[in-house]
Amino acid sequence: MLVAEDDESLGEVLTLTLRDRGYTVDLVPDGEAALSYSRWYHYSVALVDWRMPRMSGIDLVRELRRRGSKLPVLMLSGNAEPQDRVTGLDAGADDYLVKPFDVGELLARLRALQRRPANVLPPALTIGDLEYDQAGREVRSAGKRLALTTIELGILETLMRVSPAVVDRRQIAQQVWRDESDPFGSNTIDVHMARLRRKLSGAAARVETVRSIGYRLIAA
């Protein structure tokens, strides 16, 4: 999931909340960064603040739609007037939520956006015979569903999104753990990576260790 929010405190709260629910989150502080990330990575949904530096949420959504992007967008705003909602939706946002908001409602709206018809959702991520359904948050190998924990799923999604590029250990920690410092000073990442490798042992894709750098996922 892509989260574009310039309020550092709110951005951190949103990131922690979403990661606790099993989402892999990229947090960016402005519209230009969000636009750049959307070019390189596939997302199931985007959470976009209206007022941001460099490029506003409204301008970001307009540019995404101009480029033909079907990325579902939930816009956050402190503007509660009906006309503001109309402006946001007419710009291309799929839903609009006024701050302050209830976390339960936010999560429900995100789930609703992810239930949109498959023809407007990003394609599944595929490496070898591994297929990750971003909306359903399921991974299959040769059509058989793999039983992954939330952390294993987060690690695998992080690797699949940039494959065959290498992901360093700090990037994995930032994407998957509530507190990126938790996995450091221990073998936590190695333990979870070993478990993930065992579950992928029958798949036509494998995790490689790149010495002194990190890991990458490649087709076997």
Side-chain angles (χ1 to χ4, degrees):
M1 178 184 300
L2 179 61
V3 176
E5 172 60 65
D6 67 316
D7 183 320
E8 185 175 347
S9 297
L10 178 56
E12 290 178 355
V13 169
L14 288 171
T15 299
L16 293 176
T17 299
L18 293 167
R19 285 179 179 168
D20 277 349
R21 269 67 174 186
Y23 290 97
T24 297
V25 179
D26 282 334
L27 174 64
V28 295
D30 60 70
E32 284 192 5
L35 186 62
S36 177
Y37 270 59
S38 71
R39 291 186 185 126
W40 291 101
Y41 305 117
H42 291 297
Y43 295 102
S44 60
V45 66
L47 194 57
V48 174
D49 184 42
W50 177 312
R51 300 193 183 282
M52 293 186 293
R54 301 179 69 190
M55 177 184 284
S56 70
I58 290 289
D59 289 339
L60 168 62
V61 175
R62 285 175 177 150
E63 182 62 17
L64 286 171
R65 301 308 180 226
R66 188 187 70 80
R67 297 178 182 213
S69 172
K70 302 295 184 181
L71 174 64
V73 174
L74 171 57
M75 181 163 288
L76 301 178
S77 175
N79 303 328
E81 295 299 320
Q83 185 54 49
D84 294 321
R85 296 173 187 266
V86 171
T87 299
L89 295 171
D90 281 350
D94 299 274
D95 200 356
Y96 188 102
L97 187 59
V98 177
K99 301 177 183 178
F101 49 82
D102 177 76
V103 171
E105 182 180 1
L106 169 69
L107 295 171
R109 288 173 181 262
L110 291 173
R111 290 193 296 270
L113 287 178
Q114 291 180 289
R115 290 196 297 267
R116 292 176 58 174
N119 67 325
V120 297
L121 286 174
L125 300 177
T126 303
I127 306 293
D129 68 351
L130 283 181
E131 183 174 290
Y132 173 49
D133 175 4
Q134 297 182 82
R137 300 192 61 73
E138 290 188 348
V139 177
R140 295 181 181 274
S141 172
K144 183 179 179 180
R145 184 176 179 274
L146 300 183
L148 303 182
T149 66
T150 299
I151 287 179
E152 291 163 357
L153 182 61
I155 292 173
L156 183 61
E157 180 180 354
T158 301
L159 294 171
M160 291 187 78
R161 283 172 49 195
V162 300
S163 176
V166 178
V167 181
D168 65 39
R169 295 169 65 86
R170 182 164 295 280
Q171 287 176 304
I172 292 173
Q174 290 173 334
Q175 292 287 335
V176 179
W177 273 266
R178 279 182 61 95
D179 184 344
E180 68 180 81
S181 64
D182 287 348
F184 289 95
S186 69
N187 64 343
T188 301
I189 292 179
D190 301 306
V191 169
H192 287 286
M193 196 67 73
R195 292 173 180 167
L196 177 60
R197 280 177 162 141
R198 284 197 294 272
K199 293 182 180 182
L200 298 180
S201 60
R206 69 175 186 272
V207 177
E208 282 191 345
T209 299
V210 181
R211 190 177 299 276
S212 301
I213 302 178
Y215 305 91
R216 66 181 173 188
L217 182 72
I218 62 171

